[in-house]
Amino acid sequence: MTTPFSLRMDDDTREELVEHAERSEVSPSKLVNRYVREGLRMDKHPAIAFKTTPQGRRAVLTARPGLQVIDIIGTWQAERQDVAATARYFHIGEDDVRAVLRYYADYKDEIDQDLKAHLAAQENYKRVLEQREARTRRRAANA
């Protein structure tokens, strides 16, 4: 559900927002909503930032912006919820893993959904590669 909300901003910021929204092919209103939502989350969880990925906007570890929250959570789950093992796997501090876990506690359903979609995409990618390899082997055998 959305509720109208009046917002005042200086002309330069408004112009930059509108231009960025046009380049991003999204409405200025949706862009402002995203910035506010992400900003509130980053204020609450300073170790978390947001990055645009091919799968959309994703929460990442500020100390390692290429490392997505869903990767850390997936590994933490695979490591039987062992913070130290997860930290060793990624070569990050245990405090970083704990920061991600605090974020996860606040947004568990969303992160679980993103992680599930991420894992499904990986499985699909593996199937596609296996099918390609099987076709290549068949062609080589028939040549």
Side-chain angles (χ1 to χ4, degrees):
M1 183 173 126
T2 61
T3 303
F5 182 83
S6 179
L7 175 70
R8 295 188 187 277
M9 66 178 63
D10 63 77
D11 291 339
D12 291 341
T13 302
R14 183 188 176 286
E15 185 177 315
E16 190 173 351
L17 171 70
V18 170
E19 288 172 3
H20 185 66
E22 288 173 358
R23 283 191 309 274
S24 301
E25 297 179 352
V26 65
S27 74
S29 180
K30 285 185 179 186
L31 196 56
V32 167
N33 191 63
R34 184 187 91 193
Y35 288 150
V36 170
R37 182 179 54 249
E38 290 177 1
L40 290 169
R41 289 180 181 198
M42 289 187 301
D43 279 354
K44 188 174 181 181
H45 298 278
I48 302 300
F50 291 86
K51 181 178 178 180
T52 299
T53 72
Q55 295 76 33
R57 296 290 290 179
R58 295 296 174 118
V60 297
L61 184 62
T62 304
R64 294 252 319 267
L67 188 53
Q68 294 183 32
V69 165
I70 59 172
D71 294 326
I72 296 170
I73 294 302
T75 300
W76 173 74
Q77 291 170 344
E79 293 288 348
R80 297 186 178 105
Q81 301 182 355
D82 185 327
V83 170
T86 304
R88 281 191 304 274
Y89 181 84
F90 288 111
H91 305 289
I92 59 176
E94 290 182 26
D95 287 343
D96 289 328
V97 175
R98 287 187 196 94
V100 168
L101 292 173
R102 286 190 295 275
Y103 181 80
Y104 179 56
D106 284 349
Y107 304 103
K108 184 179 185 320
D109 292 341
E110 176 185 315
I111 294 167
D112 285 344
Q113 182 179 355
D114 286 347
L115 181 56
K116 184 177 179 180
H118 178 73
L119 294 173
Q122 283 182 333
E123 285 302 314
N124 186 54
Y125 181 71
K126 288 178 190 175
R127 279 192 300 277
V128 168
L129 287 180
E130 289 168 0
Q131 290 170 354
R132 286 181 184 168
E133 289 172 7
R135 282 194 301 269
T136 301
R137 284 192 300 274
R138 282 193 304 272
R139 283 187 204 129
N142 292 334

